Amino acid sequence: MALLVGTLVLASAAPAMARHAPSSAKANKAAVTAAQPAKQGPDLRIGLAAGQGSVTISPAAGKGMAQTETGKSVSLAAGQSYDVRWQNGAFLVGREKLRGEILLIRPSDKSDGGLALDGRRYRGSLELRHRGAGLTAVNIVPVDDYLLSVVPEEMPTDWPAEALKAQSVAARSFALKSRGRHAAEGYDLCTTTHCQLYKGIASEKTASTAAVRATRGEVLTYGGQPIEALFHTDSGGMTESSEDVWVTKLLPDIYSNR
């Protein structure tokens, strides 16, 4: 599921969750460092669905609000479901019509209950856009709230606490490095193994949540930037040099044979 933090810095393994050749490393003189604190965790845009004729939204706890960039809004009752579709240049939220190109749905309080999209709850807010043949749904969520779902999906939560912390740092580093990976589709990351598995609040576990909180702001860096902290489901007992997998050498010579 994950390599230890030190191994993630010093080795490049072919991961199940990243099937492309990562970008080349910078000059050999660039410093390789372990976990570095981030000043502030940014929001990520996670693509939840695309090409949908309609979706169902619901404030899972407390009230919510749906609003377009034109300023018109509609209040959403707690626990009530609303069908949303695009019709004649406007969003239909239940029976309410909101004109605009972007529909933002957010909770009206700070409840951790989140918002539900087609029955699955997510932290943060939801954004709907009409793109191509249907609606694209995006979850806008702080990076550490995103990790609360990712870490237990990528590592068994009965593994040691330190392993879960290492996975948290790796997943955070990968997410920050990969922002904009799906820019053409209107978001940063997808919810599958192409990026990192993400299933919302239902996936969260006590042990992994503690690991994410304990490593808050910690990011693996190379040359002052987050690294593409690749990890795999099963290494078969060994890893491989980056140049033998992707042709490109990713680390300075001093690390290449370790």
Side-chain angles (χ1 to χ4, degrees), residues 5-29:
V5 173
T7 307
L8 281 164
V9 177
L10 302 179
S12 295
M17 45 69 72
R19 294 178 171 80
H20 71 297
S23 56
S24 300
K26 294 184 178 180
N28 288 355
K29 293 182 180 180

Side-chain angles (χ1 to χ4, degrees), residues 27-81:
N28 288 355
K29 293 182 180 180
V32 176
T33 61
Q36 298 294 316
K39 292 182 179 180
Q40 184 178 1
D43 285 348
L44 298 175
R45 297 174 55 81
I46 313 300
L48 303 179
Q52 301 298 301
S54 66
V55 297
T56 301
I57 59 172
S58 175
K63 296 180 180 180
M65 179 173 291
Q67 185 175 23
T68 62
E69 74 277 15
T70 64
K72 186 177 180 180
S73 64
V74 58
S75 180
L76 307 176
Q80 184 171 332
S81 296

Side-chain angles (χ1 to χ4, degrees), residues 109-181:
D109 56 26
K110 296 183 179 180
S111 169
D112 287 336
L115 296 167
L117 177 76
D118 292 335
R120 179 169 286 176
R121 292 186 299 137
Y122 301 94
R123 296 181 184 275
S125 59
L126 299 174
E127 178 189 278
L128 297 178
R129 292 177 182 248
H130 181 253
R131 294 173 59 92
L135 296 174
T136 293
V138 176
N139 182 201
I140 304 173
V141 60
V143 61
D144 274 20
D145 284 354
Y146 162 75
L147 294 178
L148 297 181
S149 172
V150 167
V151 174
E153 288 293 333
E154 297 289 1
M155 174 178 279
T157 55
D158 59 356
W159 280 26
E162 294 305 312
L164 289 167
K165 290 178 184 178
Q167 181 64 43
S168 299
V169 176
R172 184 182 293 108
S173 303
F174 181 88
L176 294 177
K177 176 66 175 180
S178 301
R179 293 178 72 189
R181 194 176 189 191

